[in-house]
Amino acid sequence: MRNVDGFVYSVIIKDSSYKVEDFLEVEGPVEYMMFSPSYKMLLIQTDQGSVYIYTFAEEPTFERVLESCDGKFQAIDLITPGNEYCMTLTHSGEISVWCIEDGACVSRVYLNTPATALACSPSSLSAAVGTVDGSVHFLDVRDAESPQAVHKAFLSEMSVQHLLYDQRGMYLLVGTLEGYIFVINANPSSLFQILGFIEVNKGILQISTVSLLETDIVEVMVLSPLPETGRSRLEIFTLPKILPHVSANFSDERGRLNDEFIHKILYEIEHTLSSAVLDFKSNQIYGFCNQVPYICSYLLPEKAHSGICILKLYKKVQSGHYGPGMLSLSPHGLWLITTAKCGILCIRDIHTLETFAQCRSHSHQAHGIQSVRISMDGQNILVNGKGDGTLVYLRWRQFGGN
């Protein structure tokens, strides 16, 4: 006998009386059960998609033969510091922790609300999950086998589209559908204080940060489209390290941070980009062209300007991909990672833009690669497929020499 509480019960019938006993406990509600023709094995499927086999013998065995999730991975990230575990998120709000080395599922948390984005903090063993209802849920992942939801912040009535920690893990940036970027103190001891928000162009495509140990600021760049002109908009602003102490003095009654305080600057590019990142020297932008197969770079002017500055092309190379692609920088800022619908991941030298390593991790027939995450030491790479529901783990081969 099965039940929605995750227990399988045994019913012993004798004459006109019966007795119900606990038999097995599984991870969630049981959706389907079937005996083998010999009645020596019982197959059990849960509503989460996992499958178990119970074998009747002198020493009965109970083992899970299939570990499954309730949908495609919406987002992925590595739990840092360390290279032992990663996290995945499905649209329904199922968060799973996986052992990178053998792919075993270590634990699960169910938010029971449609979710959109996931990010792990580089400064503490915590993670953030964005939802369709405009909230961010924070998880304590100090114990990978028992992650706990510890805090929830409601930010907007519009869906959370982007979640990004800066490289030092000082701030969590939350981009919403209507073009707001909320800045949250990433330190758990602050109870994830909301420091304010910045208004940017609607339809945010990507948020990029530069946060170096030797500086007192975090530089942020936001890419968005301008469909009416066929251009792309880039908005760059800075968040000072002292922001948690002074945010109330430089925001209005709604919490909107003052543009002069964050030194907000506007740029436009005369063609459309599907992705853009700011280099670690903060003087060059790399963009993935939307309509043509090129990766381009643009130099930022040294002199300050008012209004909108049009950036001119500095360098371009053939991307080797087809379809709109995405760019990301390695944690040390020396590699440019490019992915696209073709399913090929390329790692390029940031100075020459030439590819020195590549891997076809997913099929173009399943719409290629959705997202990539690289560990802080650059040794481990996770690649999430867009349409095939597959998460691929890549590791560098060991070569002789340098």
Side-chain angles (χ1 to χ4, degrees):
M1 188 171 83
R2 61 189 177 92
N3 205 330
V4 295
D5 59 6
F7 285 91
V8 178
Y9 298 97
S10 171
V11 181
I12 301 171
I13 303 173
K14 186 175 182 180
D15 298 329
S16 60
S17 62
Y18 66 91
K19 182 180 179 181
V20 179
E21 296 180 348
D22 292 351
F23 182 55
L24 294 171
E25 181 181 2
V26 292
E27 63 181 8
V30 175
E31 192 172 74
Y32 185 76
M33 290 194 304
M34 173 181 262
F35 278 101
S36 65
S38 65
Y39 290 95
K40 291 183 179 180
M41 291 188 293
L42 176 64
L43 191 71
I44 303 169
Q45 177 189 329
T46 72
D47 69 347
Q48 306 302 325
S50 298
V51 176
Y52 297 83
I53 289 181
Y54 182 87
T55 303
F56 297 88
E58 289 186 13
E59 295 184 5
T61 60
F62 182 56
E63 58 182 336
R64 179 160 49 195
V65 294
L66 178 65
E67 182 71 56
S68 184
C69 295
D70 65 353
K72 295 174 185 174
F73 296 140
Q74 188 86 357
I76 61 171
D77 208 349
L78 288 145
I79 296 179
T80 55
N83 294 321
E84 195 172 352
Y85 301 106
C86 67
M87 298 182 75
T88 60
L89 173 73
T90 65
H91 179 72
S92 68
E94 177 188 285
I95 303 158
S96 301
V97 178
W98 307 83
C99 178
I100 293 176
E101 193 64 36
D102 60 10
C105 183
V106 175
S107 58
R108 283 208 171 107
V109 175
Y110 301 96
L111 295 182
N112 298 315
T113 185
T116 55
L118 165 73
C120 293
S121 171
S123 60
S124 67
L125 288 169
S126 63
V129 176
T131 64
V132 171
D133 65 6
S135 298
V136 176
H137 296 251
F138 292 90
L139 285 81
D140 180 344
V141 293
R142 286 177 294 179
D143 182 358
E145 296 184 3
S146 183
Q148 303 290 326
V150 293
H151 185 70
K152 176 183 175 183
F154 175 73
L155 301 178
S156 166
E157 293 183 353
M158 302 296 284
S159 172
V160 170
Q161 297 293 298
H162 302 271
L163 281 180
L164 179 70
Y165 287 94
D166 69 273
Q167 285 87 348
R168 282 181 285 180
M170 292 165 48
Y171 303 121
L172 172 65
L173 303 173
V174 185
T176 63
L177 198 59
E178 76 269 42
Y180 291 163
I181 293 182
F182 291 86
V183 183
I184 295 178
N185 191 336
N187 190 341
S189 64
S190 74
L191 296 179
F192 306 106
Q193 177 192 6
I194 302 170
L195 303 174
F197 71 91
I198 298 105
E199 286 189 70
V200 297
N201 195 44
K202 292 183 179 179
I204 300 169
L205 293 176
Q206 189 171 0
I207 304 172
S208 169
T209 67
V210 174
S211 177
L212 305 179
L213 288 173
E214 61 269 20
T215 66
D216 291 329
I217 62 170
V218 174
E219 283 205 79
V220 182
M221 185 179 75
V222 182
L223 170 69
S224 56
L226 296 171
E228 62 278 4
T229 63
R231 294 181 171 184
S232 292
R233 168 72 56 85
L234 294 166
E235 302 176 63
I236 297 179
F237 55 88
T238 58
L239 302 173
K241 196 174 181 179
I242 61 169
L243 182 61
H245 308 291
V246 301
S247 60
N249 300 325
F250 295 96
S251 59
D252 61 21
E253 65 280 358
R254 296 170 56 222
R256 181 181 181 274
L257 292 171
N258 187 293
D259 283 352
E260 287 72 31
F261 171 66
I262 61 174
H263 303 105
K264 187 176 179 183
I265 305 173
L266 302 181
Y267 299 96
E268 285 187 8
I269 292 174
E270 293 178 313
H271 47 266
T272 58
L273 300 177
S274 60
S275 176
V277 293
L278 184 63
D279 84 323
F280 277 19
K281 294 181 180 178
S282 302
N283 63 0
Q284 196 167 176
I285 291 167
Y286 299 93
F288 201 120
C289 294
N290 196 28
Q291 305 293 339
V292 291
Y294 286 103
I295 294 169
C296 300
S297 66
Y298 314 85
L299 291 179
L300 293 174
E302 294 182 6
K303 294 182 179 180
H305 70 274
S306 59
I308 299 172
C309 176
I310 306 298
L311 295 179
K312 300 299 181 182
L313 178 66
Y314 172 64
K315 183 191 297 184
K316 73 174 182 179
V317 298
Q318 284 273 357
S319 70
H321 300 281
Y322 61 83
M326 288 294 294
L327 302 177
S328 57
L329 277 178
S330 61
H332 51 41
L334 299 177
W335 304 338
L336 186 69
I337 295 99
T338 64
T339 60
K341 188 178 179 180
C342 58
I344 299 174
L345 176 141
C346 295
I347 302 179
R348 303 167 185 268
D349 182 281
I350 193 68
H351 304 294
T352 65
L353 299 184
E354 295 299 321
T355 298
F356 64 84
Q358 70 177 37
C359 174
R360 183 183 291 277
S361 61
H362 293 79
S363 168
H364 72 276
Q365 295 165 324
H367 309 291
I369 295 168
Q370 177 170 288
S371 57
V372 175
R373 294 292 182 270
I374 186 167
S375 62
M376 294 181 75
D377 63 4
Q379 296 301 304
N380 301 279
I381 302 173
L382 292 176
V383 192
N384 183 28
K386 192 167 188 177
D388 60 7
T390 303
L391 177 61
V392 173
Y393 167 48
L394 302 175
R395 187 165 56 192
W396 292 97
R397 292 176 180 171
Q398 297 298 315
F399 290 111
N402 293 328

